[in-house]
Amino acid sequence: MELLTENTTNGKKVQILLEELRDRYGTKWTTHLIDLETDEQKKSWFLRLNPNGRIPVLLDVTDDGSVISIFESSAILAYLQQSDDMHNVFGFGDAFEKSQALQWLFFWHSSGPVHGHTRHFVKGAPEPTPSEYFQKAMLRIYGVLEAHLSGQHSGHPRQYLAGRGEGKYSIADIGTWPHVRAYRSLGFSEENDMRPFPHLLDWVDRIAARPAVQRGIDGCKYDSEENPGLHVRAE
Ligand SMILES: N[C@@H](CCC(=O)N[C@@H](CS)C(=O)NCC(=O)O)C(=O)O
């Protein structure tokens, strides 16, 4: 395995698990330092591995000898725990405990960026208003999804976010779609702001066309007689 990284908060968490795995199992890996100051992470060779253009990225070799890349520090932690921690020393076998570990990992994965945003404003943001800063950040994120779906860096267009080839509809799409489809609520228009993202808009429509998705956004029907739902009440 090779870790493409830098000595930053997100790099450190992966480095720590790799060190733990080395102590416990003798896991071996090499490290390739990415020079963030010269934007090495925005070069095309790196964007092919991670269209988000950020470290850390883990490279691993599968059983059939092909090299795979994994990005997002929390996804790398989950991958390493599953692939290299066969005795669940740093994870859990029990489904509930496993889910608990993921809950807290996801909690911090979604909360961590607030740290970065806070620092941006505490240090005196160059953008005149916070909405300008966040709209710029959102358009960059749409650009990452567009590049991924269009195959801009990989040369392979795809229909869905995860899976080999053109991808397969999965929880990755389900977890992303409700936010992306709501771009108008962020002040973006299809005609202007979203014009650079045609593959992303096609993806929004493709998923919207699924009957289960339509039912899923059609309000909750917990109290109907056919579907009494699960009620948890504080007595
Ligand atoms: N959500 C990503 C965040 C990765 C990230 O923000 N990496 C920073 C260093 S800690 C980076 O590469 N910054 C350079 C850039 O944004 O161009 C993860 O958890 O891996």
Side-chain angles (χ1 to χ4, degrees), residues 10-209:
N10 288 306
K12 279 173 188 160
K13 54 181 97 156
V14 178
Q15 193 79 26
I16 290 169
L17 180 57
L18 283 166
E19 292 290 348
E20 295 282 8
L21 291 170
R22 185 199 339 244
D23 280 357
R24 185 65 177 74
Y25 300 103
T27 302
K28 290 188 170 57
W29 77 94
T30 55
T31 300
H32 176 97
L33 284 182
I34 299 296
D35 188 355
L36 297 182
E37 282 167 13
T38 59
D39 269 353
E40 203 179 349
Q41 76 284 7
K42 305 292 187 228
K43 297 207 171 121
S44 60
W45 73 267
F46 191 94
L47 292 172
R48 275 200 297 278
L49 303 172
N50 177 6
N52 194 25
R54 291 185 171 176
I55 63 96
V57 170
L58 183 76
L59 302 179
D60 198 5
V61 182
T62 60
D63 291 342
D64 68 5
S66 51
V67 176
I68 54 166
S69 60
I70 300 129
F71 65 93
E72 288 300 316
S73 53
S74 301
I76 300 175
L77 294 182
Y79 173 83
L80 282 171
Q81 198 278 315
Q82 197 170 342
S83 67
D84 281 66
D85 180 20
M86 45 292 253
H87 298 309
N88 277 328
V89 176
F90 308 104
F92 302 91
D94 172 84
F96 173 65
E97 288 181 305
K98 199 177 204 150
S99 162
Q100 259 191 337
L102 286 179
Q103 288 163 47
W104 287 106
L105 189 61
F106 285 12
F107 170 75
W108 194 255
H109 199 83
S110 59
S111 305
V114 178
H115 174 97
H117 299 315
T118 307
R119 197 177 47 204
H120 183 81
F121 287 105
V122 165
K123 291 201 163 170
E127 295 82 9
T129 61
S131 61
E132 205 167 309
Y133 165 76
F134 282 109
Q135 281 184 324
K136 207 168 95 189
M138 270 324 302
L139 291 173
R140 187 197 75 81
I141 291 167
Y142 293 153
V144 173
L145 293 169
E146 173 69 19
H148 183 50
L149 291 166
S150 69
Q152 183 188 341
H153 308 302
S154 66
H156 303 292
R158 48 193 308 135
Q159 304 274 305
Y160 299 105
L161 295 178
R164 295 186 201 277
E166 291 199 327
K168 190 187 85 159
Y169 176 65
S170 75
I171 53 172
D173 303 289
I174 295 171
T176 308
W177 184 83
H179 296 275
V180 177
R181 77 183 275 266
Y183 59 83
R184 288 186 195 84
S185 68
L186 305 183
F188 297 134
S189 69
E190 189 171 339
E191 303 72 35
N192 296 312
D193 310 284
M194 298 305 284
R195 197 194 276 267
F197 315 119
H199 294 82
L200 183 60
L201 292 177
D202 284 351
W203 171 87
V204 168
D205 290 346
R206 189 172 306 126
I207 291 167

